[in-house]
Amino acid sequence: MTGPRPATDPRESTVRTPSPVRNVVDLSHPLDDDTPVYPGDPVARFTPATTIDEHGYNVLHVRMGSQTGTHVDAPYHFLADGPRIDELPLELFLAPAVIADVRGRAPHAALTWADLRPVADRLAPGRMLLLHTGWDAHWGTEAYFDHPFLDGDAAERVVAAGVRTIGLDALSLDETVLDGEPAGGFAAHHAVLGAGGVIVENLRGLAAVRSAEPVVSVLPLRLVGADGAPVRAVAFEVG
């Protein structure tokens, strides 16, 4: 005769602990063959390697560059002796974020320290800065290449405040030109990556983040020796 099951019987889930994580916002663009890439970068291609009908299971063949879609730049992206993406501390990719609302700027506008002054007192070591340009609305169009960008002086001031992770909802932290190098070079990239920091590009959906200081995860694929890697960026509240 079988007696009553103990309260700790693993076959029963009578106690459910509420998750401390709430209001999760996906900050990543979906990846497909139409994913915009920086001029000259490899285009993304996704094709079936096997199918259930033919092989009994599905496997997707993925071909893309390290800077495809929502991704993180490592210092090695611009510095020959800089750390690769797999050599960086994970703390750079998971931290409370300060979101600077810099929407409404003109195409190719330089974002200066004056644009960041409303959040300047919140910039500190252990936090990341995300620039909400609103340019993700142009994803997949020619206008996406005409995004605002962070000027070198502002990037240096952010780094001087102790921030080592800067992201934005646009193609590049520096200006994008379709032919040649930006007039200001890649000053923002050099300022951040030169300080051992990382840059997150092609974010989306920052308008949906309700918290004043969300926790943001931009953990990259652990590509050995790479200059960067795609991420599944998310923002969430804890507690």
Side-chain angles (χ1 to χ4, degrees), residues 19 68 104 111 168-169 199:
S19 172
T68 302
L111 303 172
L168 80 169
D169 52 358
I199 297 169

Side-chain angles (χ1 to χ4, degrees), residues 71-98:
H71 67 273
V72 172
D73 296 351
Y76 183 60
H77 185 39
F78 272 82
L79 304 171
D81 59 348
R84 276 70 162 170
I85 198 70
D86 58 309
E87 298 171 337
L88 292 166
L90 295 181
E91 289 79 6
L92 288 171
F93 310 114
L94 182 65
V98 175

Side-chain angles (χ1 to χ4, degrees), residues 107-144:
H108 294 280
L111 303 172
T112 68
W113 182 246
D115 294 302
L116 303 182
R117 193 163 285 123
V119 299
D121 62 340
R122 296 165 55 203
L123 301 178
R127 293 181 177 177
M128 66 173 69
L129 170 65
L130 302 182
L131 305 176
H132 184 191
T133 71
W135 224 255
D136 54 327
H138 300 293
W139 177 261
T141 72
E142 289 298 318
Y144 194 64

Side-chain angles (χ1 to χ4, degrees), residues 27 128 138 160 172-173 184 192 195 226 230 239:
L27 302 180
M128 66 173 69
H138 300 293
S172 175
L173 194 61
V192 179

